[in-house]
Amino acid sequence: MKEQVKKWCKQPVIIVLIIILIFFTPLAIYSPGENRNRGVVTAIGIDKTNEEYEISLLTFIPTPNQTYKELTSIITGRGETVAEALYKAQISMGRKIGLAHAKTTVVSKELLQEDVASHIDYLSRVASLPENTVFVCSSTSAKELLESSQSLEEKIGLKLEQLIGFNANNIYVTDTSLEAFYKGYYKKVKSSIIGYLKLEDNKQNSQKTTDSSNGEGQGSTTNAEGGSKNQEESKSKKSIINEGEAVLLKEGKMVDLLTIDELNGINLLNKKALNQIISIKDIELNGQKFDLSYKIKNKKVLINTKFENDIPIFSAQLILGVELVEVKGNHKTVVINTEFSEITGEVEKALDKEIKKQFTNALKVLRENKTDVISINEKFFNDNRKEYKKYIEKIEDIDNFINFVNFKLSLIIQPD
């Protein structure tokens, strides 16, 4: 044994390994965990009131529990700048702040009255805010939205980023991530779109609770008291509503609020934008009037750009595969069958009219605000570079180019 130990001692690598184990093993065992020094932020909200910025951090707190639920807390800080507000929030938390795990970034409408990119750029550069974070605007303060999302997650386990969604399988088929915002912001026209969430009081829920508690009658005092308590709680908390609206930004500032139909019109040229619902009314089938709703199941988009007689022409042909998803007649829903699923000439004409109407309305908003979120300038520049540059020099305003483009949209609608 002694001889074996002597052999080990003659090898420097083993000696160094032993020294490392002696000095660093106790340090590793008894040192405090990283979660004691650093806060894990899952969502961040930015507000501006009275020339002061407020940062709200939805923070995950690692705590042992038997319910397997993540316990979260909202930490806030205020300051004359976003940097100062973030610093004060860090002091309030008592830990270092890292935003690398922030899946959602919320800003208020008031903050979008100025160039929001300057504030977000600071967070992404200094605080490591990831570019894949979902970037949305709140109808009220960002802090209120985070508070409501915290309550929602505690009750049913639905996270804020799941409620928002920004891919073809969810509500926003237009990407509303921070990366998508940057791509639009740093283009020549500086236009982009981000999602929009509403907060509304639970007045209807509280009214239902009151009616049900009053209807219990005698002998149900406990239930009535419970109903009154629930009523007070529902008044203090708000519901998050996603109606598919979106904020149109120009140079980092809000210029318009897009309805879901206008957003659908913009997404007509987006090959990835599927599952949109197109509704048409008063369609006659077998002598009766019905309201029909169709879902776009697949899409093929063919685009061509050219200059004709010194006029920019944007032509797009859409081949849409649609599926009937709802039939309403005489104020009630009718069971879908092969009779309704057939796309008649009248149905095709009505769908064509409705889809083109949505595109026209969306185009009107883009033209009024001199914004280009469907890459019209980029398409003409790539396909007709010489003519495009010459035309821009003539109009002297690249932002105004979309107002001079002649759009031609043709549709081929077929059952999926």
Side-chain angles (χ1 to χ4, degrees):
M1 183 68 182
K2 292 181 179 180
E3 293 179 359
Q4 193 172 5
V5 172
K6 289 179 180 180
K7 289 181 180 179
W8 289 347
C9 292
K10 290 180 181 180
Q11 298 182 15
V13 176
I14 295 179
I15 295 175
V16 172
L17 180 61
I18 293 173
I19 293 173
I20 292 174
L21 290 174
I22 291 173
F23 282 96
F24 290 98
T25 300
L27 182 64
I29 293 175
Y30 295 104
S31 62
E34 182 68 16
N35 56 17
R36 294 186 181 182
N37 301 322
R38 185 173 296 275
V40 180
V41 177
T42 59
I44 177 173
I46 312 173
D47 293 297
K48 185 179 181 182
T49 53
N50 300 325
E51 300 302 321
E52 193 175 40
Y53 296 94
E54 183 178 34
I55 294 288
S56 303
L57 305 173
L58 183 61
T59 309
F60 165 63
I61 304 174
T63 306
N65 61 77
Q66 296 179 349
T67 61
Y68 300 99
K69 288 185 177 180
E70 293 184 359
L71 300 179
T72 58
S73 178
I74 294 179
I75 310 296
T76 61
R78 291 189 176 187
E80 294 182 359
T81 64
V82 171
E84 183 182 352
L86 185 64
Y87 175 70
K88 289 185 177 180
Q90 179 173 282
I91 293 176
S92 299
M93 186 185 298
R95 303 177 185 184
K96 295 179 181 179
I97 291 177
L99 303 181
H101 299 284
K103 296 181 179 179
T104 310
T105 300
V106 184
V107 294
S108 62
K109 292 175 67 176
E110 287 73 16
L111 194 71
L112 293 179
Q113 302 307 309
E114 56 189 57
D115 187 358
V116 71
S118 59
H119 310 308
I120 299 299
D121 184 58
Y122 167 79
L123 295 176
S124 60
R125 286 186 297 102
V126 179
S128 302
L129 181 66
E131 290 193 356
N132 63 349
T133 179
V134 180
F135 190 33
V136 293
C137 172
S138 171
S139 63
T140 59
S141 71
K143 182 180 179 181
E144 283 185 301
L145 182 65
L146 294 186
E147 289 173 344
S148 297
S149 70
Q150 182 186 22
S151 174
L152 187 68
E153 183 175 348
E154 289 175 354
K155 288 182 178 180
I156 62 176
L158 184 63
K159 297 180 182 295
L160 182 58
E161 65 272 10
Q162 293 173 318
L163 174 66
I164 296 168
F166 59 89
N167 57 42
N169 296 320
N170 292 296
I171 292 181
Y172 292 121
V173 290
T174 294
D175 189 352
T176 67
S177 67
L178 183 58
E179 181 182 7
F181 164 75
Y182 276 140
K183 286 181 179 179
Y185 181 81
Y186 287 110
K187 286 183 178 179
K188 293 182 179 180
V189 187
K190 294 188 175 182
S191 307
S192 49
I193 291 176
I194 66 173
Y196 182 77
L197 293 178
K198 285 183 178 179
L199 276 179
E200 293 186 359
D201 295 324
N202 291 329
K203 293 180 180 180
Q204 293 182 351
N205 294 337
S206 61
Q207 182 65 39
K208 289 180 181 178
T209 305
T210 305
D211 293 341
S212 62
S213 61
N214 290 337
E216 292 291 341
Q218 297 179 351
S220 57
T221 307
T222 303
N223 290 337
E225 290 176 353
S228 178
K229 184 178 180 180
N230 290 335
Q231 180 184 354
E232 292 177 0
E233 290 179 355
S234 63
K235 285 182 179 179
S236 62
K237 295 180 181 179
K238 297 183 177 182
S239 297
I240 302 175
I241 299 176
N242 189 343
E243 295 181 344
E245 296 174 306
V247 175
L248 181 63
L249 299 173
K250 174 75 171 181
E251 296 180 347
K253 300 178 182 179
M254 178 178 177
V255 294
D256 213 321
L257 181 62
L258 301 172
T259 65
I260 188 170
D261 287 339
E262 291 168 345
L263 189 58
N264 282 342
I266 291 173
N267 280 318
L268 281 173
L269 302 180
N270 183 357
K271 297 178 181 179
K272 297 180 180 180
L274 300 175
N275 299 328
Q276 297 161 274
I277 303 297
I278 310 296
S279 298
I280 51 179
K281 296 182 177 180
D282 296 330
I283 301 300
E284 186 172 342
L285 295 173
N286 296 332
Q288 297 185 44
K289 295 286 186 177
F290 296 94
D291 295 341
L292 308 177
S293 295
Y294 289 85
K295 178 187 289 186
I296 298 177
K297 297 291 290 183
N298 59 73
K299 178 193 299 184
K300 188 174 182 180
V301 181
L302 304 174
I303 294 176
N304 180 54
T305 61
K306 63 179 179 180
F307 283 84
E308 190 174 284
N309 297 326
D310 203 28
I311 297 175
I313 298 176
F314 184 95
S315 302
Q317 184 183 55
L318 276 65
I319 304 174
L320 305 178
V322 299
E323 176 188 42
L324 182 63
V325 292
E326 188 177 38
V327 180
K328 288 185 177 180
N330 298 326
H331 307 290
K332 64 180 180 180
T333 302
V334 183
V335 177
I336 298 174
N337 53 40
T338 54
E339 177 185 356
F340 293 108
S341 298
E342 181 184 357
I343 298 181
T344 64
E346 185 181 0
V347 170
E348 185 176 358
K349 185 178 179 180
L351 285 173
D352 185 278
K353 182 179 179 180
E354 179 61 27
I355 292 172
K356 288 182 178 179
K357 176 185 174 184
Q358 291 184 0
F359 182 76
T360 302
N361 291 340
L363 188 59
K364 181 181 178 182
V365 174
L366 297 182
R367 282 175 164 170
E368 288 175 349
N369 294 288
K370 295 185 178 182
T371 50
D372 178 15
V373 292
I374 49 181
S375 302
I376 300 299
N377 283 267
E378 185 178 352
K379 186 66 177 174
F380 273 95
F381 177 79
N382 293 335
D383 297 347
N384 313 271
R385 186 163 302 187
K386 290 183 179 180
E387 295 93 332
Y388 173 77
K389 288 183 176 180
K390 183 179 178 182
Y391 199 87
I392 294 300
E393 290 177 359
K394 185 175 69 174
I395 63 176
E396 298 179 351
D397 186 3
I398 191 172
D399 291 347
N400 206 30
F401 177 72
I402 193 171
N403 286 297
F404 294 97
V405 178
N406 186 358
F407 287 88
K408 295 182 179 180
L409 184 66
S410 62
L411 302 173
I412 298 176
I413 301 173
Q414 53 195 19
D416 180 58

